[in-house]
């Protein structure tokens, strides 16, 4: 993909780029795509999202990035995606979620089958709107104090198939 790859497709709302060999997303690749609300880039070779990833995707509601090569979710990764509700990052190699990586707009997050070993303090601290959080089939052994602090909307949490031996009394 190159900058301005989708320029001129003024009414594009659903973009599926799954099962390709995409390794990176250059700046401005989604320039003039403000109507896209569904983006599926599963089964590619992505390792990171560039800093302007959401700048032009202001209507994005569903982002599917399953089966890529993500290792770290950096802080404020999705800050500029104000309408993003569903994020699917299952089947990656995620070892770390930095504080505030997910922001506060998400309602469903899928992180199954990654390499998370710990849920650190305030990992989901700003994620007050998440209703469904799936962390199955990771390597989670402990959940620290305030890991899920402020998750007032959480109604479904799946921690199955991990190695959990410790959940701090004040994890929630």
């Amino acid at each position: 993909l190159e900058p301005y790859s989708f320029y001129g497709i003024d009414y594009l709302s659903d973009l599926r780029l799954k099962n390709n060999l995409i390794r990176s997303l250059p700046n401005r690749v989604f320039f003039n795509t403000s109507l896209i609300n569904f983006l599926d880039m599963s089964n590619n070779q992505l390792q990171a999202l560039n800093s302007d990833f959401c700048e032009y995707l202001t209507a994005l509601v569903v982002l599917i990035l399953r089966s890529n090569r993500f290792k770290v979710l950096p802080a404020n990764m999705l800050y500029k995606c104000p309408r993003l509700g569903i994020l699917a990052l299952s089947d990656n190699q995620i070892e770390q979620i930095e504080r505030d990586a997910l922001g506060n707009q998400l309602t469903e997050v899928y992180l199954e089958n990654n390499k998370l070993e710990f849920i650190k303090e305030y990992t989901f601290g700003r994620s007050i709107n998440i209703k469904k959080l799936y962390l199955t089939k990771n390597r989670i052994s402990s959940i620290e104090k305030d890991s899920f602090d402020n998750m007032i909307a959480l109604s479904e949490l799946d921690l199955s198939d991990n190695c959990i031996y410790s959940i701090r009394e004040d994890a929630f």
Side-chain angles (χ1 to χ4, degrees):
L1 298 178
E2 296 181 11
Y4 309 103
S5 290
F6 302 100
Y7 182 76
I9 309 175
D10 296 336
Y11 299 103
L12 185 64
S13 64
D14 186 323
L15 179 58
R16 297 167 195 259
L17 292 166
K18 60 185 180 178
N19 300 317
N20 284 292
L21 300 173
I22 300 169
R23 292 178 187 233
S24 64
L25 299 171
N27 287 334
R28 297 184 181 90
V29 69
F30 295 112
F31 181 79
N32 199 40
T33 58
S34 61
L35 296 179
I36 292 178
N37 59 47
F38 182 94
L39 177 58
D40 187 349
M41 297 190 71
S42 297
N43 296 307
N44 279 286
Q45 298 174 7
L46 294 169
Q47 295 180 8
L49 298 177
N50 58 15
S51 60
D52 81 342
F53 175 75
C54 288
E55 188 170 338
Y56 305 106
L57 295 169
T58 55
L60 191 63
V61 175
V62 178
L63 177 58
I64 303 173
L65 297 168
R66 288 187 173 111
S67 300
N68 277 284
R69 296 181 180 172
F70 291 96
K71 291 186 179 182
V72 176
L73 301 184
N76 301 314
M77 178 177 93
L78 301 168
Y79 177 72
K80 293 183 180 178
C81 290
R83 293 191 176 110
L84 187 62
I86 299 172
L87 176 64
L89 281 160
S90 301
D91 302 307
N92 275 280
Q93 300 165 15
I94 299 170
E95 298 170 343
Q96 179 182 356
I97 302 171
E98 292 183 3
R99 186 175 181 170
D100 297 329
L102 303 176
N104 63 5
Q105 74 281 21
L106 293 168
T107 58
E108 295 180 30
V109 178
Y110 299 85
L111 287 162
E112 301 107 320
N113 200 27
N114 278 288
K115 296 182 179 181
L116 292 168
E117 293 183 12
F118 307 98
I119 304 296
K120 296 182 180 179
E121 187 174 22
Y122 301 112
T123 296
F124 300 102
R126 285 184 45 205
S127 305
I128 61 171
N129 291 312
I130 292 179
K131 295 177 183 174
K132 299 178 181 182
L133 178 59
Y134 301 96
L135 294 162
T136 58
K137 296 183 181 177
N138 277 279
R139 300 173 181 172
I140 300 169
S141 60
S142 67
I143 299 174
E144 295 180 13
K145 172 187 173 192
D146 296 324
S147 296
F148 299 97
D149 192 42
N150 294 324
M151 294 189 75
I152 56 176
L154 189 63
S155 62
E156 200 169 316
L157 173 62
D158 195 342
L159 293 163
S160 302
D161 297 312
N162 280 287
C163 305
I164 297 172
Y165 69 86
S166 172
I167 298 177
R168 288 279 308 259
E169 178 179 327
D170 45 5
F172 298 88

